[in-house]
Amino acid sequence: MQIVNKIYTKLVLVYNITQNKDLDKSKELAYTAIRNTIGVLLFFAIIFIQSLIDLFITDFRIKRSDFPIYYLYLGLGIIIIGFIFLSKVYLKPNLEYFPNRETKNPRKLKRYFTGYIISLALFGGLIFIILRVLYIYLG
């Protein structure tokens, strides 16, 4: 949770200082960004696990008579929807708002935000490439 608090604090600073939002709006935007980031990581982890199950354990075929694949996708959807509801209740990051060097240099905050977005995109692309390579060579 400490990592989430640090990222949350930096995102609040990004929205507050570089995008000229008030503190309440910055907190709301940062919370939404954190919740969506964890949701994206969870989604890609579930897709990765489902693909590994598909490749190594059982062979799912999409046919009208084959029901396990539909149950699997229904289960993945229930996990994601459950995460959305549970994160609204239990995910409460704390703002560790303290003046530091980054508040005086908004360019570092912009770089942090850009790096944050790029790292999420690279993570998703990496998972996609790994799964493609696994399906090509093992499928």
Side-chain angles (χ1 to χ4, degrees), residues 40-72:
V40 165
L41 296 175
L42 178 69
F43 176 75
F44 277 116
I46 289 171
I47 294 298
F48 188 74
I49 290 169
Q50 183 267 328
S51 297
L52 291 179
I53 290 170
D54 187 25
L55 282 171
F56 294 113
I57 297 175
T58 60
D59 187 19
F60 289 120
R61 300 271 185 226
I62 298 177
K63 297 178 185 173
R64 291 189 186 268
S65 63
D66 214 6
F67 289 105
I69 190 74
Y70 301 124
Y71 291 137
L72 182 67

Side-chain angles (χ1 to χ4, degrees), residues 19-133:
Q19 296 183 6
N20 297 326
K21 307 280 185 196
D22 62 342
L23 190 59
D24 291 332
K25 185 68 174 173
S26 298
K27 286 180 180 180
E28 180 184 333
L29 291 172
Y31 173 74
T32 304
I34 290 292
R35 190 183 71 211
N36 290 345
T37 300
I38 293 172
V40 165
L41 296 175
L42 178 69
F43 176 75
F44 277 116
I46 289 171
I47 294 298
F48 188 74
I49 290 169
Q50 183 267 328
S51 297
L52 291 179
I53 290 170
D54 187 25
L55 282 171
F56 294 113
I57 297 175
T58 60
D59 187 19
F60 289 120
R61 300 271 185 226
I62 298 177
K63 297 178 185 173
R64 291 189 186 268
S65 63
D66 214 6
F67 289 105
I69 190 74
Y70 301 124
Y71 291 137
L72 182 67
Y73 290 137
L74 182 65
L76 295 178
I78 289 171
I79 289 172
I80 294 295
I81 291 171
F83 167 75
I84 291 170
F85 287 120
L86 290 177
S87 68
K88 289 182 181 180
V89 174
Y90 293 109
L91 182 65
K92 304 287 185 195
N94 296 325
L95 181 63
E96 299 170 357
Y97 195 75
F98 50 90
N100 55 11
R101 289 180 282 140
E102 293 167 346
T103 58
K104 295 177 183 134
N105 190 358
R107 295 181 95 193
K108 280 190 175 183
L109 289 174
K110 286 183 181 180
R111 285 188 209 131
Y112 176 80
F113 187 69
T114 304
Y116 180 76
I117 299 298
I118 289 173
S119 65
L120 281 176
L122 288 175
F123 175 76
L126 180 68
I127 293 295
F128 178 76
I129 289 171
I130 289 172
L131 291 176
R132 280 287 139 199
V133 168

